[in-house]
């Protein structure tokens, strides 16, 4: 490794935000004990609760505003309600939520079909991006098993690339 | 309106959805002019964030024009051009008063372990996001910041997340003049963290990734050293060697849950979801930092557990600092930096994609096709 020059004039703005007094820095720094005496602030007005909003049992209420993206419904909704009986400290909260997410995917497919839509998986997965920029990757995917290809390429790859291939193989 | 619609892991599409309405007196409706896809969206896209419901619209990085305001919004008016921070914050709870705007207690019912984020699953509040033509923006007097005269949409949209997160990664690292900073991850966040490390007086900045094109970009944009871990026997030994066997003063994890590089982590973290994502980069950061050093984490992990060598944190006396970026807190300073030409955000944008092609954009960003660094989505209704 070559020694880096100790002159930083080529770096626009070097050191302009250096501040030796900035310690213990964010996120500790602005701690004001006054404001930590419990639920003491004046709460914003409550967004009217017009739909089912699940809330963590680690808090007493629904937050003043909440998101309305997808209220719980169907079988996945039942699983989510079960999950929210358990605290965020429990696997019985997070694991059922992951299961509900997978069930929800099937519900989504059923819903599409019920609405007369056949989901275009090829386009939803964005494979046309592969068509434009990774045609060989797409072909490989469609044709032969990745392992066979990997082995062949490994054999053909020069010494220099072999470590990379090995590392890649170890990771995927 | 057109909006991105999540259908399941690695499946998204564009659909018609109703235009959002004001639901709270402090809401605004913003017409989106630019939105981005972020590394954080990949955790959702891959199905790794619990309570990501089918039908949701993602997108926490967006800028646009105020279309409508609620009865209790006073600082914004219809027609204002705004930067909308990715975190939703009330501005008055104990945490907001502490300027922890990423940790607000009045915007996310569904978890106390994370604040509210636009378009980021029900675990982060269940809000629809900005990969759409319109968005409902709660607490409109708190977060949204008017885009200063002369700043363009492309620079503005990167101030919603990438610039503040990269900057905060360096800030939390408590860099002292002359420090050696090692950054894992040369995505938009790592590249920005490397650039910002210099502003805090770093003496040497090193970035590590596995994508040569990103490393090349970082070398030029962030003026730092850049190395490919695929060429290393062991990245930790590499860092030790290059720091005279001491370890780095500071390590930054700018990778998070989708990390590659360790087969055990990848299988248990990304394939089987037995941990909250693969913690390879964090593992390397803890082991690469010197004794008494600081590890700053901005890489995002899920809400359960990860395999990290916590014993080494104790035995080496490491300080760990981490958070979601407090965008609102940092915006005034960062707007100055952009206006003074010290940070040039839009150079990170490699792809401008019509919103209608959102599925291809996700695929391209996720698979690192066509040398993609940062894709921006442009809705058909954005005429600028
Ligand atoms: N804390 C916050 O407020 C905040 C905000 C935005 C993004 N994030 C998080 O920051 C992380 C990076 O975001 P991004 O948009 O740059 O994502 P990205 O996916 O574009 O970049 C991640 C990079 O890490 C590289 N990488 C994978 N494994 C690695 C390893 N073991 N060591 C080094 N590099 C490795 C990848 O090749 C990729 O280039 C994500 O986890 C994202 O969720 C956090
Ligand atoms: Zn983001
Ligand atoms: Zn708050």
């Amino acid at each position: 490794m070559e020694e880096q020059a100790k002159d930083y004039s080529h770096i626009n703005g070097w050191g302009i935000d250096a501040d030796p007094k900035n310690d213990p820095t964010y996120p500790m720094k602005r701690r004001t004990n006054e404001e930590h005496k419990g639920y003491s602030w004046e709460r914003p007005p409550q967004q009217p609760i017009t739909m089912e909003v699940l809330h963590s049992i680690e808090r007493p209420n629904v937050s003043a505003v909440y998101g309305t993206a997808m209220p719980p419904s169907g079988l996945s909704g039942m699983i989510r309600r079960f999950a929210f009986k358990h605290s965020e400290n429990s696997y019985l909260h997070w694991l059922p939520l992951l299961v509900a997410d997978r069930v929800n995917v099937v519900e989504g497919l059923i819903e599409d079909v019920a609405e007369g839509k056949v989901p275009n998986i090829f386009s939803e997965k964005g494979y046309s991006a592969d068509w434009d920029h990774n045609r060989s990757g797409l072909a490989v995917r469609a044709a032969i098993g990745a392992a066979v290809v990997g082995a062949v390429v490994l054999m053909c790859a020069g010494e220099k690339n072999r470590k990379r291939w090995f590392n890649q193989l170890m990771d995927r | 309106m057109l909006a991105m619609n999540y259908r399941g892991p690695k499946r998204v599409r564009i659909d018609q959805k109703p235009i959002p309405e004001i639901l709270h007196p402090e809401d605004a409706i913003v017409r989106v002019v630019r939105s981005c896809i972020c590394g954080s969206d990949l955790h959702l896209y891959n199905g790794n964030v619990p309570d990501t419901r089918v039908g949701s619209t993602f997108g926490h990085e967006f800028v646009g024009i105020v279309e409508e305001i609620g009865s209790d919004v006073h600082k914004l008016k219809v027609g204002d051009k705004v930067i909308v921070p990715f975190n939703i914050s009330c501005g008055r709870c104990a945490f907001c008063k502490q300027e922890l705007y990423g940790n607000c207690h009045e915007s996310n019912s569904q978890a106390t372990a994370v604040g509210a984020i636009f378009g980021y699953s029900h675990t982060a509040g269940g809000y629809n996001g900005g990969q759409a033509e319109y968005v409902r923006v709660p607490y409109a007097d708190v977060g949204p910041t008017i885009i200063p005269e002369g700043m363009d949409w492309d620079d503005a949209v990167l101030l919603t997340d990438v610039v503040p997160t990269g900057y905060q990664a360096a800030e939390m690292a408590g860099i002292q003049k002359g420090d050696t900073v090692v950054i894992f991850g040369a995505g938009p966040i790592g590249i920005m963290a490397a650039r910002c490390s210099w502003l805090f007086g770093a003496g040497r900045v090193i970035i590590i990734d596995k994508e040569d094109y990103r490393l090349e970009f970082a070398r030029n944009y962030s003026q730092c050293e850049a190395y490919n871990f695929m060429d290393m026997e062991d990245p930790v030994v590499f860092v030790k060697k290059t720091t005279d066997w001491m370890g780095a003063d500071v390590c930054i994890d700018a990778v998070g849950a989708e990390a590659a590089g360790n087969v055990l982590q990848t299988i248990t973290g990304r394939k089987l979801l037995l941990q909250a994502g693969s913690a390879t980069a964090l593992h390397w950061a803890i082991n690469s930092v010197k004794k008494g050093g600081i590890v700053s984490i901005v890489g995002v992990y899920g809400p359960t557990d990860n395999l990290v060598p916590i014993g080494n944190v104790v035995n080496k006396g490491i300080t760990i600092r981490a958070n979601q970026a407090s965008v609102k807190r940092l915006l005034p300073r960062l707007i100055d930096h952009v206006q003074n030409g010290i940070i040039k955000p839009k150079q990170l944008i490699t792809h401008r994609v019509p919103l209608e092609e959102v599925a291809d954009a996700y695929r391209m960003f996720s698979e690192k096709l066509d040398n993609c660094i940062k894709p921006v989505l442009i809705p058909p209704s954005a005429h600028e």
Side-chain angles (χ1 to χ4, degrees), chain B residues 88-97 103-107 139:
Chain B
I88 301 171
S89 44
C90 75
R92 62 211 98 164
C93 71
F95 307 107
C96 285
K97 279 194 204 144
N103 313 97
C104 175
H105 213 60
E106 288 290 8
S107 46
Y139 301 128

Side-chain angles (χ1 to χ4, degrees), chain A residues 12-81:
Chain A
N12 188 6
W14 185 83
I16 55 173
D17 287 339
D19 174 8
K21 292 199 215 79
N22 183 17
D23 189 46
T25 197
Y26 189 84
M28 311 273 298
K29 116 168 146 191
R30 319 226 181 234
R31 165 101 200 218
T32 49
N33 291 320
E34 277 312 296
E35 284 151 7
H36 280 261
K37 290 180 179 149
Y39 230 116
S40 55
W41 60 90
E42 194 180 323
R43 300 193 63 203
Q46 178 67 51
Q47 174 183 340
I49 300 180
T50 54
M51 58 174 62
E52 182 178 4
V53 191
L54 296 171
H55 77 80
S56 165
I57 63 167
E58 293 179 43
R59 57 178 297 141
N61 51 20
V62 170
S63 49
V65 302
Y66 60 88
T68 57
M70 286 283 132
S73 69
L75 176 60
S76 64
M78 288 164 65
I79 303 171
R80 296 191 207 282
R81 284 180 204 110

Side-chain angles (χ1 to χ4, degrees), chain B residues 212-264:
Chain B
D212 283 329
Y213 77 92
R214 289 183 166 206
L215 291 166
E216 188 53 35
F217 186 94
R219 227 170 257 134
N220 294 319
Y221 181 90
S222 313
Q223 296 170 277
C224 65
E225 298 168 54
Y227 303 103
N228 194 320
F229 69 76
M230 297 299 257
D231 298 333
M232 300 171 185
E233 293 293 344
D234 181 332
V236 172
V237 177
F238 173 84
V239 173
K240 291 282 167 68
K241 252 189 207 165
T242 190
T243 54
D244 214 7
W245 302 102
M246 296 294 280
D249 297 292
V250 159
C251 286
I252 294 175
D253 171 0
V255 180
E258 313 304 322
N262 178 294
V263 71
L264 176 76

Side-chain angles (χ1 to χ4, degrees), chain A residues 171, chain B residues 10 39-44 46 48 210 255-260 266 270 277-278 300-301:
Chain A
D171 196 45
Chain B
K10 299 192 200 297
S40 298
D41 291 323
L42 298 182
H43 315 315
L44 300 171
N46 292 330
N48 295 348
K210 67 174 168 50
V255 180
E258 313 304 322
T266 300
R270 280 163 53 192
S278 149
V300 160
Y301 296 90

Side-chain angles (χ1 to χ4, degrees), chain B residues 350-371:
Chain B
T350 49
H351 291 76
R352 291 180 173 74
V353 184
L355 176 62
E356 295 92 317
E357 294 169 23
V358 66
D360 295 352
Y362 265 90
R363 175 81 186 165
M364 182 173 60
F365 180 61
S366 157
E367 296 304 308
K368 320 254 179 331
L369 304 179
D370 198 29
N371 291 353

